[in-house]
Amino acid sequence: YDMGVAIELAASEAYAPMRYLRIALLTIFVLLVVAVGVALGSTFSLAQLDREVRQLGQYRIQGKIDEGGMATVHHAVHALLKRPTAVKILKPALATDELIERFEREVTLASRLQHPATVEIFDYGRTRDGTFYYAMEYIDGITLARLVEKDGAQSAPRVAHILKQVCESLREAHSKGLVHRDIKPANIMICERGGESDVAKV
């Protein structure tokens, strides 16, 4: 019948639904601001952590070479000398007092070895967050395991030449009370040093 009723209302009552909507929108905005803040903070923390992981003392980490049960080995470069280096990092999750003691003992004993066929230890330390590492000679070569896999059986004279170096390295280690405990083709590198080929590195 085209009829209607008009009544008078106070402004506060008329706009009450808008007040609740405004509170809801403000709450959502605040939550978004907090979420963005947390995301930015996380990104900054990850970037800072990445910088710490990539820089160990004087060594700039380039990439991972290998990983074992106790530690990972990374290719690195000395910040000042620009010398290629292999850095062995103890896995933080395994860093018990016993393992840290064993890690330090390994470094101390290995650093006393001087035979040319033994990988040389350069440095040892730990980061501010307690990550233990040591730096050693970087070998740009091939393991015996990979050599045989790639080229097959080697000639007797070449095998004798390589094994002679390995045995001399182990003899020095044994004379100082150090036992390798994991001698295998994968742990013996063949490289070139000073113009000489087939230089073995244990």
Side-chain angles (χ1 to χ4, degrees), residues 22-117:
R22 197 178 298 117
I23 291 171
L25 288 173
L26 184 61
T27 302
I28 292 171
F29 178 74
V30 169
L31 289 174
L32 282 172
V33 169
V34 170
V36 169
V38 169
L40 288 174
S42 298
T43 302
F44 178 75
S45 296
L46 286 173
Q48 191 172 15
L49 180 62
D50 185 59
R51 278 196 301 273
E52 282 189 14
V53 169
R54 294 290 174 185
Q55 185 79 35
L56 291 175
Q58 290 292 320
Y59 302 94
R60 182 79 180 164
I61 303 298
Q62 303 290 311
K64 186 162 76 172
I65 298 173
D66 199 5
E67 184 171 355
M70 186 175 81
T72 55
V73 180
H74 298 264
H75 179 212
V77 174
H78 191 279
L80 300 177
L81 299 175
K82 309 302 180 190
R83 176 176 61 187
T85 310
V87 175
K88 189 171 185 178
I89 303 172
L90 182 64
K91 292 180 178 178
L94 303 176
T96 62
D97 290 342
E98 182 183 351
L99 198 57
I100 290 170
E101 185 181 339
R102 176 182 160 192
F103 194 76
E104 290 179 319
R105 187 169 63 249
E106 177 184 321
V107 179
T108 304
L109 292 172
S111 66
R112 297 175 188 165
L113 303 178
Q114 298 177 329
H115 195 277

